[in-house]
Amino acid sequence: MALAGTRLAAGQPADAPAVEAAVDRAHHQWGLVDDPVRVRELGVQLVELRSRVPGRREGAVEHVRRRLRVVQGRGAMPAGHVRTDPPQGATTMP
């Protein structure tokens, strides 16, 4: 994730092959993490990154959000973290 962030900060476009490849690698590596706390911590960062660099495969951002929902259902978020989606049954105010 750091490499992708560095490339974006250096002005490389989000659709540059090197940026997409860095985000895809980060997403893949995050998928291998099995510690729920680390999944949540890194997942919040990955949602932000994937929102900027969705990549060529449709549904990548939703994949991260879906896994976060599953992990978040297992316990409370660590201090300082926010949910990336509204709780089940919540309504949003306009």
Side-chain angles (χ1 to χ4, degrees), residues 3-19 52-53:
L3 178 59
T6 300
R7 290 185 179 279
L8 289 168
Q12 292 187 19
D15 62 349
V19 174
R52 295 173 63 193
V53 185

Side-chain angles (χ1 to χ4, degrees), residues 51-64:
S51 295
R52 295 173 63 193
V53 185
R56 306 238 182 256
R57 288 184 58 191
E58 190 174 326
V61 176
E62 182 52 36
H63 173 262
V64 177

Side-chain angles (χ1 to χ4, degrees), residues 35-77:
D35 174 33
V37 172
R38 291 298 289 158
V39 169
R40 288 187 288 257
E41 291 171 348
L42 296 171
V44 170
Q45 296 173 32
L46 188 56
V47 165
E48 180 183 329
L49 192 57
R50 272 294 185 199
S51 295
R52 295 173 63 193
V53 185
R56 306 238 182 256
R57 288 184 58 191
E58 190 174 326
V61 176
E62 182 52 36
H63 173 262
V64 177
R65 289 183 177 137
R66 189 170 44 249
R67 183 169 184 217
L68 278 175
R69 283 192 299 268
V70 169
V71 172
Q72 288 170 352
R74 294 183 190 156
M77 291 293 287

